[in-house]
Amino acid sequence: MTFELKERDASGRICKFTTSHGTVTTPTLLPVINPNKMLIPPKEMRKRFGTEIIITNSYIISKDDRLRSQALEHGVHHLVDFDGPIMTDSGTFQSYVYGEVTVDPLEIVRFQRDIGSDIGTILDVFGTPRQTQAEAERGVKETIKRAKQSVPEKGEMLLACTVQGSVYPVLREYCAHKLSALDADFFPIGGVVPLMENQRYSDLVRCILASKRGLNPSKPVHLFGAGHPLVFPLAVALGCDFFDSSAYAKYAADGRLIFAWGTEKLDELSELPCCCPVCSHYTAAELRVLEAKERTLQLALHNLYVSFAEIKKIKAAIAGGWLWELVEQQATANPAVLDALRELEKPRNLTWLEQQEPTSKKTALFYTGRHTIHRPTLYRYHTRLLRRYHPSYSKTVILPEGNKPYSVFYAKEIRSILMKRDAQFLVRSHLGPVPVELDEMYPLAQSVFPETVDQETAQYVNALFEKYVRNRTILDFHKANKKITTKRTRKEPLNMDLLRISAVADMQFGKGAARALFSGELSIVKSKKTGKIRTVFCNGDHILSMRAEDGLFTLKIAGGRRLLRSFKRPSLRVVIADDAVPFVREGKSVFPQFVREADPSLRPFDECLIVDHQDHLVAVGRALLTRTEMQAFRHGVAVKTRESEQ
Amino acid sequence: MTFELKERDASGRICKFTTSHGTVTTPTLLPVINPNKMLIPPKEMRKRFGTEIIITNSYIISKDDRLRSQALEHGVHHLVDFDGPIMTDSGTFQSYVYGEVTVDPLEIVRFQRDIGSDIGTILDVFGTPRQTQAEAERGVKETIKRAKQSVPEKGEMLLACTVQGSVYPVLREYCAHKLSALDADFFPIGGVVPLMENQRYSDLVRCILASKRGLNPSKPVHLFGAGHPLVFPLAVALGCDFFDSSAYAKYAADGRLIFAWGTEKLDELSELPCCCPVCSHYTAAELRVLEAKERTLQLALHNLYVSFAEIKKIKAAIAGGWLWELVEQQATANPAVLDALRELEKPRNLTWLEQQEPTSKKTALFYTGRHTIHRPTLYRYHTRLLRRYHPSYSKTVILPEGNKPYSVFYAKEIRSILMKRDAQFLVRSHLGPVPVELDEMYPLAQSVFPETVDQETAQYVNALFEKYVRNRTILDFHKANKKITTKRTRKEPLNMDLLRISAVADMQFGKGAARALFSGELSIVKSKKTGKIRTVFCNGDHILSMRAEDGLFTLKIAGGRRLLRSFKRPSLRVVIADDAVPFVREGKSVFPQFVREADPSLRPFDECLIVDHQDHLVAVGRALLTRTEMQAFRHGVAVKTRESEQ
């Protein structure tokens, strides 16, 4: 099995998951195949929806003599006529629905192995939301015990060990942590169906986050029983990779259509609000008068078209960097999901989410409502602003409000006073305080906010602003021009470019980066077309380039040397094994297996220093994984090497 | 031509629009057909998307010798090979894009008539957003002049007279008003393309609302040049019936895909976030390598699949009563649309929107964010609460917060104190103050709010609450039980049912309705299953029924008699022509042609009294139109008769 991270956004990711029956791109959906009654054959699913992996139930197969003997003789792939990866469930959910099941925890694992399941599931103990913590803990302990006993039985099969723990985050995290220590391959988050059935999405978020905190980040995570696209974007943003849908068939049999925003009854729809092949072929009235079996089939097809389209949308959102926008938009479909988003704002959760959040995206940040200001990207900006950026001025001029801070810089009036300043110039923007030097840096210039934000955002941002300017002398904007002119002592015009690169360097690499990088004779080259900074030379060395799209620096090896001298271990570093050094020196990327240590404050897409164990600079590059991920993943790329030390 | 309102929600509507070439259900989209280059033949559009009406350009036809002679000889339907309704444009937009066009305003109308266009458009003067008010006014006056001159030329053709007026609401309303006075059939709102191109959605909303205020509500309204589904829900909610799309082809040629939330470049999409037949057949990579012409065709098909699916979604939303939900959700896709929603909250606009807002819906009201509290439905509830409902108690007990006001009523503790009350019991809910007597009435029990609303909503609702309880003695909830017991003088247990029917009657029919309806010996019949009030008898007469789904009354004839006696003309009345009286007495519905006068405060789906010119009660019924609409429409139903006076 390999599981390789290819793209990422929020705490979500696009991965390649390879089994002996082929490769699957996650996030994805496993349609549940009932071996007794295949509404849509798996092969047909592959053709229509691009289904790459399915799930069927080993408990049902094992309890039916005919299915059991067929599966044992010819394998589960033959039984359901699908040659791609097949996951099997163990009967845990049946035990939840129907009470005690007559199945032995180890027998069922062996059975799954013997019928050739690609991913077999342990018989975990379903934790219900009504359990007391003590009851839930007993279930968790039994689940862990069974997982331990199951591992030696798995053979070639990948083993899915389900995280339980009812609604108790501490138990979820504990269970996830214990299971991660085993030789397990796949981690479903179980016991969440009753939460989704009762729209307890806040609890669902708590369960997912606690489980993710305890899990090995390099292993696939499956939200067991989640088949409704309403929760897909949120669950993916929190790090879930797999979903399974029996809903497509159940809802179809019940005359219901699945949509991204919820479920609608065919009988209550005047029009089919959809363009899938089914809804393009039939009207609602035509579907209603179909013969029952055919109608169920058509509704099931619709349900899968919509569900897979949502998966594709999420993948497009991850690749494009708009997953949080999708999460927030989707949440407006259901007040209970809106409530659940508040969980993400809690400090512990936000801190965790910030760790995985990329430092730059391909798409602008769009405001959707009160949740937007609490996105990890903005939380990071606010935190770094308070901790990393300390201009030497004690005076501050607050510029008029504007939701596009970069535009003010070009206002003639402001430019004239900026040129002769000895105060910090600060924009009171919808995103928070923005020193004008930072106005081209992601996410400031790359944000689209409405002209008027909601009062809650305004209050939040205002409080941040007050915190930021506390203990500073505030000069009146309209009088600033005069005041600054009279008080100025320096004669040369102030260098706005130097201010800009210093501010960005400190925000991007940490406090003191500007001093480390820019000591010496500076030369700044700008784009002739846009007038924006392109490259920075110091003492003749090309140390940095500034990217036009996000206003952040690309680090060159000469800049890396300077940072290495000034920043102590482990800051900014990824320490690699000695045997990897020659390859990285040749420009090859750093694979996670060769990472020995890394700066825990590195974030995805951060520039970093690649060093050997003696802290000699080997190269500079772009981190694609966090430290935790680098230490966990066995495949893929940890750091994309940019320039090597010769 | 007939234009008949069938269903409605917000200020939007589903209408049947009949021309000599067939019937069209609105809202709908007219794909723009370029007679020189038909990317997708109209017949194919009908088959694939259910396209019912198309638009082509008479200016282009008239300027091309071959097209011109073909069109004049065989008609425009033959020219584009489509036997459904065809609308033609006049060259106005060409004049905007390319400057002065060499076309005579009357010639082009005659030409459209002569080629058999179903709907021909006058050569209006395109008002650009940059115009001064004086410039825009000249354009408006010229447009009105040309419209006047064009009317006598129209023949059998329906004439579309375009509302102009740049970004000046006063001019828009004036223009609309003047055009409505002519014998015109169809009203495009013109000059809005530059607003949409520059994402000036607030201006767009102002233009639509001002135009709608001035227009005859019984005529179809077309948002000229609006082809992107991003604006469809909002524009429909404001009363637009038609859109036209040239975008499907233009964007396709440019490699762009239309989605409900915006536009994406094929080259930048890793996945196709869609389940239309095109996106179900191809992957993004496969589309990219198609031969250019075929790729353009496939993208155009996708664009129309998505655009028509959005139209279907809007129609489903109108029929289901969730159009505002759709508008608000769609707005989160673009901060400029979120800004535009604020226009709707302005008192003048909200007052206008409230007039068309149905008094009850099939679907619960869902909170999506800060905009929700300003929906016309809630505005109406708040207004009526302050004006119509005056309980006699001077004391008020505020019940603990709860977002489901109806649930508190059943709490044992509360019920016990309610039973011996001499104070008003009020819930401080997310929707505003809710007297417990009203807790089953739409929209209170039919609202789904999150547990925590945004601060802006909370503040708004809090201010309302303070206004409502001002000058009242507030008793502490926890001490209320005791206090009320000691202060009570009455001996019989207080009748909660009477409180409930009185409160609902006053809120629904107006202040004094309870006294009018319930003077006499009351008998209240409840559902054995749910315990809810079903029917109310007074002195043995069945006067009212209470609907389980919305907690509002259905008026019976005996109740109507009581209201007639107590409410002065024109309150609650629809006055019908004498010749309609016998038919209505037989139970037939009231057609708008027979409405002589009506209460301006009647709202769609309000119960009403149908009277003759001497104010004799003919029947009671349910108003489907507002007074303005009753006076304007020529077709459809004004009041659905429920029970007639014998």
Side-chain angles (χ1 to χ4, degrees):
Chain A
M1 183 272 273
T2 68
F3 189 63
E4 189 180 334
L5 193 150
K6 306 301 273 183
E7 307 219 44
R8 63 190 309 161
D9 192 23
S11 289
R13 54 212 190 163
I14 295 178
C15 294
K16 290 280 178 196
F17 173 65
T18 304
T19 73
S20 58
H21 280 90
T23 296
V24 173
T25 304
T26 68
T28 197
L29 177 67
L30 301 90
V32 175
I33 302 297
N34 181 341
N36 276 311
K37 198 181 91 185
M38 279 184 231
L39 189 58
I40 308 163
K43 274 185 177 169
E44 168 106 9
M45 289 184 179
R46 173 144 59 194
K47 219 178 86 192
R48 283 182 180 259
F49 320 116
T51 303
E52 292 179 321
I53 177 169
I54 59 160
I55 182 168
T56 187
N57 193 299
S58 68
Y59 174 75
I60 292 173
I61 296 173
S62 76
K63 290 291 158 190
D64 181 293
D65 286 343
R66 188 184 58 84
L67 294 174
R68 180 184 177 86
S69 63
Q70 271 192 26
L72 283 170
E73 191 170 342
H74 304 293
V76 66
H77 292 80
H78 182 266
L79 185 75
V80 300
D81 193 21
F82 185 67
D83 61 5
I86 298 179
M87 180 176 180
T88 46
D89 194 358
S90 59
T92 297
F93 192 70
Q94 279 67 25
S95 78
Y96 161 66
V97 178
Y98 306 112
E100 217 41 55
V101 291
T102 53
V103 57
D104 176 77
L106 294 190
E107 276 305 320
I108 196 72
V109 170
R110 287 185 205 116
F111 178 71
Q112 294 175 80
R113 177 196 66 200
D114 294 344
I115 63 175
S117 174
D118 293 282
I119 309 160
T121 309
I122 62 164
L123 189 77
D124 51 302
V125 181
F126 197 98
T128 70
R130 291 191 168 192
Q131 285 177 329
T132 64
Q133 187 158 349
E135 286 166 348
E137 191 173 348
R138 275 198 294 281
V140 163
K141 291 215 161 134
E142 177 66 18
T143 295
I144 296 167
K145 186 181 128 200
R146 291 184 187 177
K148 272 185 194 160
Q149 293 170 336
S150 297
V151 167
E153 306 292 334
K154 71 176 186 175
E156 297 291 300
M157 179 178 75
L158 303 177
L159 190 66
C161 292
T162 310
V163 180
Q164 292 288 355
S166 179
V167 292
Y168 305 101
V170 61
L171 291 181
R172 289 272 176 188
E173 189 168 347
Y174 170 79
C175 185
H177 188 73
K178 286 291 181 187
L179 296 178
S180 284
L182 306 177
D183 182 20
D185 309 280
F186 197 95
F187 295 99
I189 297 175
V192 295
V193 167
L195 298 179
M196 291 183 286
E197 282 172 349
N198 295 298
Q199 305 221 5
R200 291 174 60 176
Y201 299 115
S202 297
D203 282 319
L204 180 67
V205 165
R206 274 191 285 270
C207 289
I208 295 174
L209 282 170
S211 304
K212 281 291 294 188
R213 263 199 291 268
L215 283 173
N216 178 331
S218 74
K219 296 293 172 75
V221 175
H222 177 173
L223 194 63
F224 229 147
H228 200 297
L230 178 67
V231 300
F232 291 175
L234 179 55
V236 170
L238 304 184
C240 295
D241 308 295
F242 287 91
F243 303 94
D244 61 285
S245 173
S246 57
Y248 77 94
K250 273 190 217 158
Y251 287 21
D254 193 28
R256 287 184 290 165
L257 290 91
I258 289 175
F259 295 100
W261 64 84
T263 309
E264 306 280 349
K265 287 185 187 156
L266 176 59
D267 286 346
E268 291 174 2
L269 279 178
S270 60
E271 301 267 351
L272 299 171
C274 174
C275 59
C276 84
V278 173
C279 297
S280 296
H281 185 78
Y282 295 102
T283 65
E286 286 165 359
L287 272 184
R288 275 194 281 271
V289 298
L290 282 183
E291 186 265 318
K293 202 175 154 192
E294 180 64 19
R295 184 176 58 237
T296 301
L297 172 64
Q298 295 300 326
L299 294 187
L301 289 172
H302 159 88
N303 289 343
L304 282 176
Y305 274 120
V306 165
S307 301
F308 277 99
E310 285 305 303
I311 294 288
K312 290 195 286 177
K313 196 193 278 184
I314 291 168
K315 284 197 272 187
I318 293 176
W322 43 278
L323 184 54
W324 282 124
E325 279 78 4
L326 182 60
V327 168
E328 292 175 6
Q329 282 163 35
Q330 187 90 310
T332 59
N334 191 318
V337 183
L338 278 177
D339 263 329
L341 292 192
R342 287 183 185 258
E343 284 298 314
L344 313 182
E345 299 164 19
K346 295 190 175 158
R348 190 176 182 201
N349 295 334
L350 195 45
T351 313
W352 185 82
L353 291 166
E354 190 273 330
Q355 287 171 28
Q356 282 77 239
E357 189 71 28
T359 50
S360 176
K361 311 206 182 187
K362 288 183 197 151
T363 316
L365 186 155
F366 270 55
Y367 169 97
T368 74
R370 64 161 291 287
H371 300 287
T372 304
I373 201 71
H374 301 289
R375 289 209 201 142
T377 293
L378 289 169
Y379 168 72
R380 174 185 294 152
Y381 168 69
H382 297 144
T383 313
R384 289 192 175 182
L385 187 68
L386 291 167
R387 292 191 193 152
R388 294 188 172 184
Y389 182 59
H390 298 270
S392 52
Y393 315 110
S394 64
K395 284 168 286 183
T396 296
V397 178
I398 299 168
L399 300 185
E401 289 193 39
N403 69 327
K404 286 180 188 132
Y406 58 93
S407 65
V408 301
F409 180 51
Y410 300 101
K412 204 173 154 194
E413 188 185 13
I414 293 165
R415 200 169 42 197
S416 78
I417 53 173
L418 278 175
M419 292 308 289
K420 22 180 191 170
R421 68 196 228 158
D422 61 358
Q424 179 179 34
F425 281 69
L426 203 62
V427 179
R428 186 189 274 280
S429 86
H430 288 335
L431 291 84
V434 177
V436 288
E437 299 90 307
L438 290 175
D439 67 357
E440 286 172 4
M441 188 189 78
Y442 184 86
L444 303 171
Q446 296 79 7
S447 289
V448 184
F449 270 55
E451 287 186 20
T452 312
V453 294
D454 65 291
Q455 283 174 29
E456 188 166 346
T457 298
Q459 284 170 21
Y460 179 84
V461 164
N462 199 44
L464 260 174
F465 196 91
E466 297 311 318
K467 191 171 174 187
Y468 186 71
V469 300
R470 198 175 294 157
N471 303 326
R472 299 196 195 195
T473 310
I474 307 294
L475 303 183
D476 184 86
F477 168 64
H478 297 287
K479 296 177 193 157
N481 198 352
K482 208 178 157 200
K483 276 203 186 166
I484 290 173
T485 311
T486 52
K487 292 196 182 177
R488 247 181 110 246
T489 50
R490 272 183 284 183
K491 278 177 185 169
E492 77 286 7
L494 203 123
N495 188 335
M496 257 309 289
D497 297 334
L498 178 59
L499 282 174
R500 180 180 300 281
I501 61 173
S502 300
V504 173
D506 275 9
M507 286 291 282
Q508 186 174 350
F509 300 109
K511 202 176 161 182
R515 208 175 38 224
L517 287 161
F518 308 133
S519 304
E521 185 155 338
L522 274 184
S523 153
I524 295 174
V525 180
K526 291 182 171 187
S527 157
K528 281 189 183 151
K529 204 170 148 202
T530 64
K532 288 190 179 178
I533 295 168
R534 281 288 160 272
T535 42
V536 183
F537 294 85
C538 194
N539 294 340
D541 295 326
H542 180 179
I543 54 169
L544 296 167
S545 298
M546 190 174 257
R547 295 191 293 263
E549 62 274 21
D550 61 13
L552 290 168
F553 287 121
T554 292
L555 183 63
K556 308 299 288 183
I557 193 78
R561 282 182 216 126
R562 286 170 168 259
L563 290 174
L564 188 81
R565 280 198 297 272
S566 293
F567 282 79
K568 291 216 161 56
R569 282 198 268 186
S571 285
L572 300 175
R573 282 143 177 97
V574 174
V575 185
I576 59 172
D578 286 348
D579 33 343
V581 171
F583 298 97
V584 175
R585 227 180 261 286
E586 279 172 30
K588 297 225 164 54
S589 290
V590 177
F591 302 128
Q593 308 94 292
F594 296 106
V595 173
R596 291 291 164 265
E597 191 42 275
D599 178 0
S601 63
L602 282 179
R603 298 291 175 256
F605 307 155
D606 258 344
E607 300 290 305
C608 65
L609 310 173
I610 305 168
V611 298
D612 65 16
H613 76 281
Q614 292 181 294
D615 207 36
H616 291 136
L617 190 63
V618 180
V620 291
R622 184 177 216 200
L624 302 185
L625 303 178
T626 66
R627 172 177 179 269
T628 324
E629 290 166 347
M630 287 180 191
Q631 294 182 331
F633 270 94
R634 301 292 180 85
H635 303 93
V637 175
V639 184
K640 203 161 160 12
T641 303
R642 198 184 289 291
E643 195 182 355
S644 305
E645 190 69 279
Q646 293 313 320
Chain B
M1 185 272 273
T2 68
F3 189 63
E4 190 180 334
L5 191 150
K6 305 301 273 185
E7 307 220 43
R8 64 189 309 160
D9 191 25
S11 289
R13 55 215 191 160
I14 294 177
C15 294
K16 291 279 178 196
F17 174 66
T18 304
T19 73
S20 58
H21 280 90
T23 295
V24 172
T25 303
T26 68
T28 198
L29 177 67
L30 302 88
V32 175
I33 302 296
N34 181 340
N36 277 311
K37 197 181 92 184
M38 279 186 231
L39 188 58
I40 308 164
K43 274 185 177 169
E44 168 103 10
M45 289 183 179
R46 172 143 60 194
K47 218 178 85 191
R48 283 182 179 260
F49 320 116
T51 303
E52 293 179 321
I53 178 169
I54 57 161
I55 183 167
T56 187
N57 193 298
S58 69
Y59 174 74
I60 292 173
I61 297 172
S62 76
K63 289 292 158 189
D64 180 291
D65 286 345
R66 187 184 58 84
L67 294 174
R68 181 185 178 87
S69 64
Q70 272 193 25
L72 284 170
E73 193 169 341
H74 304 293
V76 65
H77 292 79
H78 182 267
L79 185 75
V80 300
D81 192 22
F82 184 69
D83 61 5
I86 297 179
M87 178 176 183
T88 45
D89 195 357
S90 59
T92 296
F93 192 70
Q94 280 66 26
S95 79
Y96 160 65
V97 178
Y98 308 111
E100 216 43 53
V101 292
T102 52
V103 56
D104 178 78
L106 294 190
E107 276 305 322
I108 196 71
V109 170
R110 288 186 205 116
F111 178 70
Q112 294 176 77
R113 177 196 67 201
D114 294 344
I115 64 174
S117 174
D118 293 283
I119 309 161
T121 309
I122 62 164
L123 189 76
D124 51 302
V125 181
F126 196 98
T128 70
R130 292 190 168 192
Q131 285 176 329
T132 64
Q133 188 159 349
E135 286 165 350
E137 189 172 352
R138 276 197 294 280
V140 163
K141 293 216 159 133
E142 177 65 19
T143 295
I144 296 167
K145 187 181 127 201
R146 291 183 187 178
K148 272 184 193 159
Q149 292 170 337
S150 299
V151 166
E153 306 292 335
K154 71 175 187 175
E156 297 290 300
M157 180 179 75
L158 303 176
L159 190 66
C161 292
T162 311
V163 179
Q164 292 288 355
S166 179
V167 291
Y168 304 101
V170 62
L171 291 180
R172 289 273 176 186
E173 188 167 350
Y174 170 81
C175 185
H177 188 74
K178 286 291 179 187
L179 295 178
S180 284
L182 306 177
D183 181 20
D185 309 280
F186 197 95
F187 295 99
I189 297 175
V192 294
V193 167
L195 297 179
M196 291 183 286
E197 284 172 347
N198 295 298
Q199 305 222 6
R200 292 175 60 176
Y201 299 115
S202 298
D203 282 318
L204 179 68
V205 165
R206 275 191 285 269
C207 288
I208 295 173
L209 282 169
S211 304
K212 281 291 294 189
R213 264 198 291 266
L215 283 173
N216 178 330
S218 74
K219 295 293 172 74
V221 175
H222 176 173
L223 193 63
F224 229 147
H228 199 297
L230 179 67
V231 301
F232 290 175
L234 179 55
V236 169
L238 304 183
C240 295
D241 307 296
F242 287 92
F243 303 93
D244 61 284
S245 174
S246 57
Y248 77 95
K250 272 189 216 159
Y251 287 20
D254 193 28
R256 286 185 292 165
L257 289 92
I258 288 175
F259 294 100
W261 64 85
T263 309
E264 307 280 351
K265 287 185 188 155
L266 176 59
D267 286 345
E268 292 174 3
L269 279 178
S270 60
E271 301 266 352
L272 299 171
C274 173
C275 59
C276 83
V278 173
C279 296
S280 295
H281 186 76
Y282 294 102
T283 65
E286 286 165 359
L287 273 184
R288 276 195 279 271
V289 298
L290 282 182
E291 187 265 318
K293 203 176 156 189
E294 181 63 19
R295 184 177 57 236
T296 301
L297 171 64
Q298 294 300 328
L299 295 187
L301 289 171
H302 159 88
N303 289 342
L304 283 176
Y305 274 120
V306 166
S307 301
F308 277 100
E310 286 304 304
I311 293 287
K312 289 196 289 177
K313 195 192 278 184
I314 290 167
K315 284 197 273 187
I318 293 175
W322 42 278
L323 183 54
W324 281 123
E325 278 79 3
L326 182 60
V327 168
E328 292 176 6
Q329 281 163 36
Q330 187 90 309
T332 59
N334 191 318
V337 181
L338 278 177
D339 262 329
L341 291 192
R342 288 183 184 258
E343 284 298 314
L344 313 181
E345 298 163 20
K346 295 191 175 158
R348 190 177 182 199
N349 295 334
L350 194 46
T351 312
W352 185 82
L353 290 166
E354 190 273 329
Q355 286 171 30
Q356 282 78 240
E357 189 70 30
T359 51
S360 175
K361 312 205 181 187
K362 287 182 197 152
T363 316
L365 185 155
F366 269 55
Y367 169 97
T368 74
R370 62 161 293 285
H371 300 287
T372 304
I373 202 70
H374 301 289
R375 291 212 199 138
T377 293
L378 289 170
Y379 168 74
R380 173 185 294 151
Y381 168 69
H382 297 145
T383 313
R384 289 193 174 180
L385 187 69
L386 291 168
R387 292 191 193 153
R388 293 189 171 183
Y389 182 58
H390 298 269
S392 52
Y393 315 110
S394 65
K395 282 168 288 184
T396 296
V397 178
I398 298 169
L399 300 185
E401 290 193 37
N403 70 328
K404 288 187 184 121
Y406 56 93
S407 65
V408 302
F409 181 51
Y410 299 101
K412 204 173 155 194
E413 186 184 15
I414 294 165
R415 198 168 45 197
S416 78
I417 54 174
L418 279 174
M419 292 309 288
K420 18 177 195 170
R421 68 193 230 160
D422 61 356
Q424 179 178 34
F425 281 69
L426 205 60
V427 179
R428 184 190 274 280
S429 86
H430 287 335
L431 292 83
V434 177
V436 289
E437 300 89 308
L438 290 175
D439 67 358
E440 285 173 6
M441 188 189 78
Y442 183 87
L444 302 172
Q446 296 79 6
S447 289
V448 184
F449 270 54
E451 287 186 22
T452 313
V453 294
D454 66 292
Q455 284 175 27
E456 187 165 348
T457 298
Q459 283 171 22
Y460 179 85
V461 164
N462 199 44
L464 260 173
F465 196 91
E466 297 310 319
K467 190 171 174 186
Y468 186 71
V469 300
R470 199 176 295 159
N471 303 326
R472 300 195 195 196
T473 309
I474 308 294
L475 303 182
D476 183 85
F477 168 65
H478 298 287
K479 296 177 192 155
N481 199 353
K482 207 177 159 200
K483 276 203 186 165
I484 291 174
T485 312
T486 52
K487 293 197 180 175
R488 252 182 107 247
T489 51
R490 276 183 282 182
K491 278 179 185 167
E492 77 285 8
L494 202 124
N495 189 335
M496 257 311 289
D497 297 334
L498 179 58
L499 280 175
R500 179 180 299 282
I501 62 173
S502 300
V504 172
D506 276 9
M507 286 291 283
Q508 186 175 350
F509 301 109
K511 203 176 158 181
R515 208 173 40 224
L517 287 161
F518 308 132
S519 304
E521 185 156 338
L522 273 185
S523 152
I524 295 174
V525 180
K526 291 185 174 183
S527 159
K528 280 189 184 150
K529 203 171 147 202
T530 64
K532 289 189 177 179
I533 295 167
R534 282 288 158 272
T535 42
V536 182
F537 294 84
C538 194
N539 293 340
D541 294 325
H542 180 180
I543 55 169
L544 296 168
S545 298
M546 189 173 259
R547 295 191 293 263
E549 62 274 22
D550 61 12
L552 289 168
F553 287 121
T554 292
L555 184 62
K556 309 297 289 182
I557 194 77
R561 284 182 213 124
R562 287 170 168 258
L563 290 174
L564 188 82
R565 281 198 297 272
S566 293
F567 284 77
K568 293 217 161 52
R569 282 198 268 186
S571 284
L572 299 175
R573 281 141 175 102
V574 173
V575 186
I576 60 172
D578 286 348
D579 32 344
V581 171
F583 298 97
V584 174
R585 228 180 260 287
E586 279 173 30
K588 296 223 164 54
S589 290
V590 177
F591 302 128
Q593 310 91 293
F594 296 106
V595 173
R596 290 290 164 268
E597 190 42 274
D599 178 359
S601 63
L602 282 179
R603 298 290 175 257
F605 308 155
D606 258 344
E607 300 290 305
C608 66
L609 310 173
I610 306 168
V611 298
D612 65 15
H613 77 279
Q614 292 181 297
D615 206 37
H616 293 136
L617 190 63
V618 181
V620 290
R622 185 178 216 200
L624 303 185
L625 303 179
T626 66
R627 172 178 179 268
T628 325
E629 291 166 345
M630 288 180 190
Q631 294 181 329
F633 270 95
R634 301 291 181 87
H635 303 93
V637 175
V639 184
K640 201 160 162 17
T641 303
R642 196 183 291 289
E643 195 182 357
S644 304
E645 190 69 279
Q646 293 313 321

